[in-house]
Amino acid sequence: MHDTPSSDLLRQLHDAVLDVVAFINRPDRDEVLIREAQIKLDRALFPLLVLTERFGPIAVVELAARVGRDHSTISRQVAKLVALGLIERHPRPGDRRQRDLRATTSGQAMARQIDQARERLARRALSGWRVEDVADLARSLRRYADDLAST
C-alpha cells in the first residue's frame, strides 16, 4: 500500500512544476538559449523546431497542444520554419488531406545545437548535484509526466 501525500506536499510539487514551466517559458531564457546555441532563429520558432524534431512526424494540432497555443498561430509559425528549410510537411499515411511535420536535415542539425546548448546550461545549474540525485529527479519527473498523461 502506498502512502498518500498530504495536500501541502502536493501543493509544493505543483508550485515547483509551475516554477519550472515559468522558467522554461521566459522570453529572456529563450534568448540565453539561442545565444548559447549560436543560432539565428526567432525565439518563438525554436521550441516548435525542437518539438517537431523530437516528436515528429507530428501534426500542427498536436504541436499546438504541446506548446499551449492556437493551431492557427502555430500554423503560421510553421510556415516560417518551412520557408527557412528547417521543417517540411508530408502527407499523412492513410489520410492524404492531413499533413505531418518533420524536421529537415538542417532542422535536425539546428535542434542538436539547441539540445547541446540546453545541456551545457543544465550542467551549470546541476553542477552541485550528485549524479544519483539527477537520476532520481529524471526518473521521478518521467513517472509523474506519464502518470498525469494516463489519468
Side-chain angles (χ1 to χ4, degrees), residues 23-39 41 43 46 113-114 116-122 124:
F23 180 81
I24 288 170
N25 288 334
R26 284 177 47 180
D28 59 327
R29 294 307 304 168
D30 290 349
E31 294 296 337
V32 168
L33 185 56
I34 288 169
R35 275 195 311 274
E36 181 73 24
Q38 299 179 349
I39 61 170
L41 188 64
R43 67 178 173 78
F46 91 85
Q113 285 179 264
I114 295 166
Q116 291 165 353
R118 185 178 288 113
E119 181 180 327
R120 288 190 299 274
L121 294 171
R124 290 178 205 154

Side-chain angles (χ1 to χ4, degrees), residues 9-132:
L9 183 57
L10 290 175
R11 173 90 186 219
Q12 290 174 38
L13 172 63
H14 186 70
D15 288 352
V17 169
L18 288 176
D19 286 347
V20 169
V21 169
F23 180 81
I24 288 170
N25 288 334
R26 284 177 47 180
D28 59 327
R29 294 307 304 168
D30 290 349
E31 294 296 337
V32 168
L33 185 56
I34 288 169
R35 275 195 311 274
E36 181 73 24
Q38 299 179 349
I39 61 170
K40 299 230 184 291
L41 188 64
D42 184 294
R43 67 178 173 78
L45 301 180
F46 91 85
L48 303 178
L49 172 62
V50 170
L51 289 170
T52 299
E53 191 276 330
R54 182 126 329 104
F55 298 109
I58 187 170
V60 170
V61 172
E62 184 182 344
L63 184 59
R66 284 189 171 274
V67 295
R69 292 196 205 123
D70 180 76
H71 79 277
S72 62
T73 300
I74 297 305
S75 188
R76 285 190 300 275
Q77 291 172 326
V78 163
K80 293 176 185 177
L81 289 165
V82 169
L84 291 169
L86 299 172
I87 287 179
E88 49 193 18
R89 293 181 177 105
H90 293 276
R92 175 173 285 172
D95 186 354
R96 306 208 41 91
R97 295 169 298 163
Q98 300 264 347
R99 298 274 184 242
D100 283 332
L101 307 172
R102 291 188 190 119
T104 63
T105 302
S106 297
Q108 292 169 4
M110 186 175 283
R112 276 193 301 279
Q113 285 179 264
I114 295 166
D115 286 343
Q116 291 165 353
R118 185 178 288 113
E119 181 180 327
R120 288 190 299 274
L121 294 171
R123 284 186 186 284
R124 290 178 205 154
L126 299 169
S127 65
W129 289 46
R130 296 177 320 138
V131 172
E132 297 83 10

